[in-house]
Amino acid sequence: MNIFATGLDYFVKGGPVMYPLLFCSVAAVAISVERYLFFKRADSGREFTKTFCMDIENDDWTAAKELADQTEGEIAKLATIVMARHGKFERLEGFISARAERALDKFENRLNYLNVIVTLAPVLGLLGTVTGMIGSFHNFNQRLDNPLAVTAGIGEALITTVFGLCVSIVAILMYAYFERRLKGISMNLEEMSNTLLEAIAKNLDTAEEGRSRHD
């Protein structure tokens, strides 16, 4: 209870800028939780990509299809769709590129807001610093009658600066985590797409050669 009361007291002393900073902190946490749950559900994982590509390279399409059908996530879903359309190779590369961009866009959704909070939070803290110092200088002539009026403004400036930096640091860590996850997903998606395209092209070439020999 004392910790809550102390925190509330600091929040009040921080001045009006603390309210948008509080909104930024709540938004950062909400976005991070939502994105974490989405990544957990939609990321097929590195192990899937590794096993799937190995099955395709070994020409074991049945095992690869079963694995893709049994695995959740955007990469596994795209793999299933591509294997169902492998007969139309002339349009397949553009199709994979479009679907891959659409899948990555789902992962990138709302991360730009987190990036905005990274920049916005310290700026709001700086704004609180300026308004607090303005209040201190405004009350400077009253320092003999009310010396606390000057220190209150300085305290407001320091509180908003610290809070803004804390929000920004947390948002930076969250954003860096999701950026790292996104990079890994992008690499897995590219590896799966290239492996499928190469395997399908190889099979089509083999089939073409077989028809030529038959003719």
Side-chain angles (χ1 to χ4, degrees), residues 157-179:
L158 295 176
I159 291 171
T160 54
T161 301
V162 171
F163 194 73
L165 289 175
C166 289
V167 173
S168 180
I169 290 170
V170 173
I172 287 173
L173 293 175
M174 294 174 177
Y175 185 77
Y177 168 76
F178 290 116
E179 278 289 293

Side-chain angles (χ1 to χ4, degrees), residues 81-154:
I81 296 173
V82 171
M83 283 190 290
R85 297 170 59 99
H86 68 273
K88 303 176 181 178
F89 183 77
E90 64 278 2
R91 301 180 181 177
L92 193 58
E93 188 171 356
F95 172 80
I96 290 180
S97 178
R99 292 300 293 259
E101 289 182 7
R102 190 176 301 175
L104 288 176
D105 187 62
K106 293 180 181 179
F107 287 99
E108 293 174 348
N109 189 29
R110 297 188 182 89
L111 289 183
N112 57 329
Y113 296 123
L114 199 59
N115 193 26
V116 169
I117 293 174
V118 170
T119 306
L120 182 61
V123 173
L124 288 173
L126 180 61
L127 177 62
T129 300
V130 173
T131 56
M133 296 304 295
I134 290 174
S136 296
F137 286 121
H138 179 72
N139 297 321
F140 193 72
N141 293 329
Q142 304 176 9
R143 66 187 185 280
L144 296 179
D145 297 331
N146 187 13
L148 294 178
V150 178
T151 58
I154 297 175

Side-chain angles (χ1 to χ4, degrees), residues 197-213:
L197 286 173
E198 290 175 5
I200 292 172
K202 181 179 178 181
N203 289 344
L204 289 177
D205 291 341
T206 301
E208 195 69 30
E209 289 177 3
R211 283 194 295 267
S212 299
R213 291 175 182 176

Side-chain angles (χ1 to χ4, degrees), residues 35-53:
R35 287 290 85 192
Y36 176 79
L37 294 176
F38 177 80
F39 272 66
K40 185 177 181 180
R41 182 178 68 255
D43 184 7
S44 299
R46 173 60 189 163
E47 192 60 34
F48 163 78
T49 304
K50 183 178 179 181
T51 305
F52 179 84
C53 292

